[in-house]
Amino acid sequence: MDVGELLRYQPDRGTKRGRDDEPEDLRPPRKERGGRNWHRDEERGPTAEEDRNALDDGDDEEENETLDEGAVKRMILNFEKRSYKNQELRIKFPDNPEKFMESELDLNDIIQEMHVIATIPDLYHLLVELNAVQSLLGLLSHENTDVCIAVVDLLQELTDIDTLHESEEGAQVLIDALLEGQVVALLVQNLERLDESTKEEADGVHNTLAITENMTEFRPEICSDAAQQGLLHWLLKRLKAKMPFDANKLYCSEILAILLQNNDDTRELLGELDGIDVLLQQLSVFKRHDPGTAEEQEMMENLFDALCSCLMLSSNRDRFLKGEGLQLMNLMLREKKMSRCSALRVLDHAMIGPEGTDNCHKFVDILGLRTIFPLFMKSPKKAKKTGVSEKEHEEHVCSILASLLRNLRGQQRTRLLSKFTESDCEKVDRLMELYFKYLEAVRVADKKIEGEKHDMVRRGEILDDDVEEEFYLRRLDAGLFLLQLLCYVTAEICNNNLPQIRQRVLQILNMRGSSVKIMRHILKEYSESIGDGKSEEFRESEQKRIQELLETL
């Protein structure tokens, strides 16, 4: 039996992230501390038996005895000695595993013992001061992948996010040392050689992804560096690999969405790596088929989140257009599968703002108006499976219509406006129906907020900017943004050479005892709120456009 076989003989590897043995839950809670036991071959005789007995006997003692600084130092020094000895024997007897087998097993034993350090993050500084972090990182390129997997397992436990928050100081020291040692680049190199058809190595991949999740959650600003060090390239390669859906593919989609969040550098890199095409290819599976499990649905949503995030960068809008992303999303809207709600969200991201002009024109060219207006006329009931509310659906549809009206020119704009005159202006009727629906919802919210403000003033509390912002967010949540979009769309369709549209709008307003003044007030408030996250140039042009619409109203 060679050393690899010996190390793979592990009847008790401890609690792992769920995989084949737990198909109903691909992402169980993080494993408990304590690590796995590396059982040695019986040929080792008394020494192996003594080691196992010592570890077993020590379990109760560790519960009663706090591990002090001296014990941790001795453990780390012992680890360094065993690591050095194994390295020395491997160099001396490269072709004779029997000579270094014993030292390799000793090395694995001490790595398992070091799991206990994860229970005392206040002493993490010792790992750095005694150079153990660098030694562990060095072992990620060890010739025996079982040793690498053991190190990954340990690092995953040391960086557990709950543990990191137990000691901010210890966590900062550890994360700094890992980043200084190029941990992500080393982990990616190790990922490249792991064979996921072997359960232990598939677990190693899963725990590697857990390390990156832990570190990015604790320090989000490292996402860009992690992506640049090969992680993004590996994630895309793993997603498009022709392998059955499993926990690792789900986890890859999750890490990808995390890396892209609020990060233009990573979004640009993904575009350069043809990542938009990868995302579209992976999502195309769901245009005519629903995900088979809750986990597969979660992966689908992660991929949609990643795509929406990427489309916030104008260069990726061009890649999306060239990759026929609009056609795919349009098909998804027609097929009425679970992907429909998310496809609507992607279209919203692809068309919004001046960067969405090309996509808006292409959408009309591929007969997208035939798809979007039925969704405007009738909102689907809240889908239990997707959890998308009626308000979310209506907000995305109205945002798409607003983008089309803002960006379309020439014949395409004429085609769009003519839609509002069809069937005795039924789409104008629907527009006003939604307007009054959300006008009432916002009025109810405003009345409640005014009551709370009155109570606060009476109690002598100060209405500072933070309080006002919180109230404003509550108004948006009640439907203010959707109401603003509806007013914008109404103003746009009234600002044309189709008098029947304007007449119908005024007729409905008079019938409901309302007036254009309310609409003007809402649009003015919308104009003043534009600018968050946008360029000054966009803000000015948009405010100028709204001012023109206000004058026509």
Side-chain angles (χ1 to χ4, degrees):
M1 183 180 290
D2 65 22
V3 69
E5 290 173 329
L6 274 173
L7 296 180
R8 288 192 185 94
Y9 175 61
Q10 300 161 57
D12 177 17
R13 289 178 65 92
T15 308
K16 279 284 183 183
R17 287 174 176 266
R19 297 190 57 81
D20 301 333
D21 54 337
E22 292 182 321
E24 295 176 3
D25 185 4
L26 294 175
R27 288 287 309 283
R30 297 176 188 274
K31 68 183 187 57
E32 298 175 2
R33 297 188 184 119
R36 58 198 175 195
N37 296 323
W38 294 76
H39 290 268
R40 300 171 180 241
D41 192 272
E42 291 179 2
E43 292 177 5
R44 282 203 70 201
T47 309
E49 196 66 36
E50 287 167 10
D51 282 349
R52 286 198 296 274
N53 290 339
L55 284 171
D56 293 337
D57 293 338
D59 287 345
D60 294 330
E61 292 174 17
E62 284 175 10
E63 290 178 7
N64 301 320
E65 180 185 336
T66 304
L67 203 67
D68 60 14
E69 190 170 319
V72 172
K73 283 182 177 179
R74 287 191 295 274
M75 185 180 291
I76 292 172
L77 291 172
N78 194 8
F79 159 70
E80 292 288 355
K81 285 178 185 176
R82 296 190 188 187
S83 177
Y84 178 76
K85 183 180 179 183
N86 175 246
Q87 183 183 12
E88 188 179 42
L89 290 173
R90 269 191 169 270
I91 293 170
K92 195 172 180 181
F93 307 104
D95 301 321
N96 192 351
E98 290 184 6
K99 295 287 186 180
F100 56 76
M101 185 186 297
E102 192 79 16
S103 68
E104 212 135 291
L105 292 164
D106 286 337
L107 176 59
N108 274 294
D109 278 347
I110 193 65
I111 291 171
Q112 300 318 307
E113 289 177 35
M114 289 172 72
H115 278 251
V116 74
I117 300 175
T119 64
I120 38 175
D122 287 334
L123 298 182
Y124 277 4
H125 64 95
L126 295 175
L127 290 168
V128 179
E129 291 165 9
L130 298 175
N131 214 37
V133 171
Q134 291 305 311
S135 297
L136 286 168
L137 293 177
L139 288 176
L140 288 174
S141 56
H142 195 279
E143 290 87 342
N144 188 338
T145 55
D146 291 279
V147 173
C148 306
I149 291 169
V151 172
V152 166
D153 199 15
L154 175 60
L155 290 175
Q156 187 268 322
E157 205 162 330
L158 291 171
T159 58
D160 181 277
I161 194 65
D162 295 329
T163 304
L164 293 179
H165 286 307
E166 286 175 21
S167 173
E168 199 77 16
E169 188 177 342
Q172 295 288 2
V173 170
L174 176 64
I175 299 299
D176 284 342
L178 289 171
L179 293 175
E180 189 180 334
Q182 300 283 299
V183 62
V184 178
L186 292 170
L187 287 170
V188 171
Q189 287 174 21
N190 189 45
L191 283 171
E192 296 285 2
R193 64 182 183 143
L194 293 181
D195 176 11
E196 291 186 65
S197 62
T198 304
K199 185 182 184 303
E200 287 76 19
E201 297 193 15
D203 284 342
V205 170
H206 212 262
N207 285 333
T208 300
L209 295 173
I211 295 169
T212 60
E213 182 186 20
N214 293 339
M215 292 176 64
T216 53
E217 186 176 343
F218 184 75
R219 196 177 290 180
E221 62 270 22
I222 72 169
C223 285
S224 183
D225 287 340
Q228 296 284 348
Q229 289 178 30
L231 181 59
L232 186 62
H233 180 267
W234 185 87
L235 289 171
L236 292 172
K237 188 171 76 170
R238 176 61 177 82
L239 282 171
K240 66 181 182 181
K242 295 187 184 301
M243 297 167 64
F245 173 74
D246 63 0
N248 285 350
K249 187 166 186 176
L250 169 61
Y251 212 175
C252 283
S253 69
E254 186 179 333
I255 299 298
L256 180 64
I258 290 170
L259 292 181
L260 292 166
Q261 205 169 11
N262 304 320
N263 197 312
D264 280 348
D265 290 339
T266 307
R267 292 166 182 164
E268 179 60 44
L269 179 60
L270 180 134
E272 292 169 359
L273 294 170
D274 295 327
I276 299 295
D277 281 345
V278 173
L279 291 173
L280 292 174
Q281 287 164 13
Q282 293 303 307
L283 287 169
S284 65
V285 177
F286 304 109
K287 66 184 173 188
R288 290 195 174 92
H289 303 284
D290 281 337
T293 63
E295 289 77 20
E296 198 172 3
Q297 183 189 340
E298 185 183 346
M299 182 196 71
M300 180 186 79
E301 293 302 334
N302 287 338
L303 295 177
F304 273 119
D305 287 344
L307 186 55
C308 287
S309 186
C310 289
L311 290 174
M312 296 180 81
L313 200 67
S314 59
S315 58
N316 283 332
R317 307 249 187 126
D318 296 334
R319 295 176 177 117
F320 177 78
L321 179 63
K322 291 171 185 173
E324 300 189 347
L326 286 168
Q327 288 89 329
L328 176 61
M329 298 304 124
N330 198 31
L331 276 171
M332 287 179 169
L333 293 185
R334 291 179 181 177
E335 289 295 334
K336 301 180 182 179
K337 297 295 181 183
M338 284 169 65
S339 58
R340 182 168 71 167
C341 299
S342 295
L344 198 62
R345 186 160 54 98
V346 169
L347 287 174
D348 188 1
H349 279 78
M351 296 185 197
I352 202 164
E355 302 91 348
T357 301
D358 290 343
N359 280 312
C360 285
H361 282 88
K362 185 66 177 179
F363 186 69
V364 177
D365 291 342
I366 63 171
L367 308 178
L369 297 181
R370 294 184 186 179
T371 312
I372 200 70
F373 272 108
L375 293 172
F376 172 68
M377 292 302 293
K378 185 179 180 182
S379 302
K381 294 178 181 177
K382 180 172 179 178
K384 291 181 180 178
K385 290 182 178 179
T386 57
V388 176
S389 67
E390 189 175 75
K391 175 175 166 287
E392 286 176 89
H393 171 89
E394 289 165 355
E395 189 171 300
H396 287 308
V397 172
C398 290
S399 180
I400 289 169
L401 291 177
S403 295
L404 289 168
L405 287 163
R406 185 185 290 116
N407 291 326
L408 291 179
R409 298 288 179 269
Q411 186 183 358
Q412 277 103 334
R413 182 177 175 82
T414 303
R415 286 168 65 181
L416 172 62
L417 290 170
S418 66
K419 285 284 183 182
F420 286 93
T421 64
E422 292 175 356
S423 305
D424 193 26
C425 296
E426 65 174 7
K427 294 175 183 66
V428 178
D429 294 347
R430 171 63 172 163
L431 183 66
M432 299 311 293
E433 177 192 334
L434 289 172
Y435 166 73
F436 283 109
K437 172 184 174 181
Y438 286 101
L439 181 63
E440 179 59 25
V442 172
R443 278 177 174 166
V444 169
D446 284 348
K447 188 176 180 181
K448 188 175 181 182
I449 288 170
E450 285 304 314
E452 290 181 28
K453 283 184 178 180
H454 179 74
D455 291 342
M456 289 177 72
V457 171
R458 194 179 60 192
R459 293 194 299 267
E461 297 178 23
I462 300 171
L463 295 172
D464 57 16
D465 290 344
D466 290 341
V467 174
E468 290 291 355
E469 185 178 351
E470 185 183 336
F471 283 140
Y472 184 67
L473 290 172
R474 279 174 56 185
R475 294 182 69 215
L476 288 174
D477 191 50
L480 177 61
F481 177 61
L482 183 44
L483 181 62
Q484 292 169 343
L485 285 174
L486 290 162
C487 290
Y488 181 87
V489 171
T490 305
E492 280 278 11
I493 63 174
C494 287
N495 184 32
N496 62 73
N497 297 320
L498 297 169
Q500 64 265 47
I501 293 178
R502 178 188 286 268
Q503 288 167 10
R504 180 59 68 94
V505 169
L506 293 174
Q507 180 188 357
I508 295 171
L509 286 173
N510 289 331
M511 283 173 57
R512 298 288 295 263
S514 189
S515 72
V516 175
K517 286 183 181 179
I518 298 170
M519 229 175 240
R520 285 171 58 88
H521 174 75
I522 293 167
L523 267 178
K524 190 177 179 187
E525 185 181 19
Y526 176 47
S527 175
E528 290 168 356
S529 68
I530 290 172
D532 293 343
K534 303 292 183 183
S535 66
E536 191 62 31
E537 184 182 355
F538 173 79
R539 179 191 176 108
E540 289 175 5
S541 66
E542 193 70 358
Q543 287 178 334
K544 183 182 177 183
R545 174 67 178 160
I546 293 173
Q547 188 59 40
E548 291 171 359
L549 294 173
L550 283 168
E551 289 170 8
T552 59
L553 273 175

